[in-house]
Every structure is written in structure tokens, then in C-alpha cells.
Amino acid sequence: MLSWSVAMGYGAMGGLVVEAITTWNRLSAWREARHAALKKKRQRRPRISEFIDPAADGAVAVTRAALGCAAAALLHTQISGFYAAVA
């Protein structure tokens, strides 16, 4: 069993892992769109701002971390290790 503060930290990390995966998917989509534009020899390549919005994505990252903290705080007596807390 983890203490509530440790569980909350790991829960926040879990929320941020989800956001990192989402950001990776958006970056991959941007890269693919740029490659497609190069292949078609178009002049305009998509900008990263078409795939990532720092203000909105930052707000979602904070929210996911907070939700991870809250879930871990509520369930800390049932969490037995790092992987369970992050999940």
C-alpha cells in the first residue's frame, strides 16, 4: 500500500504519460502530413500549429494530472506499487 501523497504523485505521472502519448500521435500525424506534402511537391507544408495548440493541450495536461492525483488519492489503499499507481 502506498501513502496517499506518493500515490497522488504517481497518479499525476500516469495522467501525464497519457498526454505524452497523445502529443506523440499528433507529432506523428504532422510529420506524415509534411511528408505527403513533400511527395506531392506542394509548396505549402502544414505547420505544427495545425496539429498542436499549446494553450489547450497544456490545459488538458494539467487536467489529466489532476484527475490522476484525485483517482490515486481516492484509491491509495488499494494501490500496491508504482505500475498500478501510474495505470
Side-chain angles (χ1 to χ4, degrees):
M1 178 174 83
L2 298 175
S3 70
W4 66 271
S5 60
V6 172
M8 285 178 64
Y10 289 155
M13 287 172 43
L16 294 176
V17 165
V18 172
E19 186 60 27
I21 292 168
T22 302
T23 302
W24 172 257
N25 288 334
R26 289 182 181 149
L27 287 172
S28 295
W30 174 60
R31 181 190 64 202
E32 292 300 319
R34 287 181 62 87
H35 284 297
L38 286 171
K39 189 175 182 180
K40 293 180 182 178
K41 306 226 187 263
R42 294 191 321 198
Q43 292 290 357
R44 185 190 171 283
R45 286 180 238 146
R47 290 193 260 163
I48 195 166
S49 61
E50 296 173 26
F51 293 84
I52 294 178
D53 180 3
D57 294 339
V60 170
V62 169
T63 302
R64 283 185 172 160
L67 288 173
C69 280
L74 290 172
L75 301 171
H76 78 277
T77 58
Q78 299 175 13
I79 298 173
S80 60
F82 169 77
Y83 292 114
V86 171

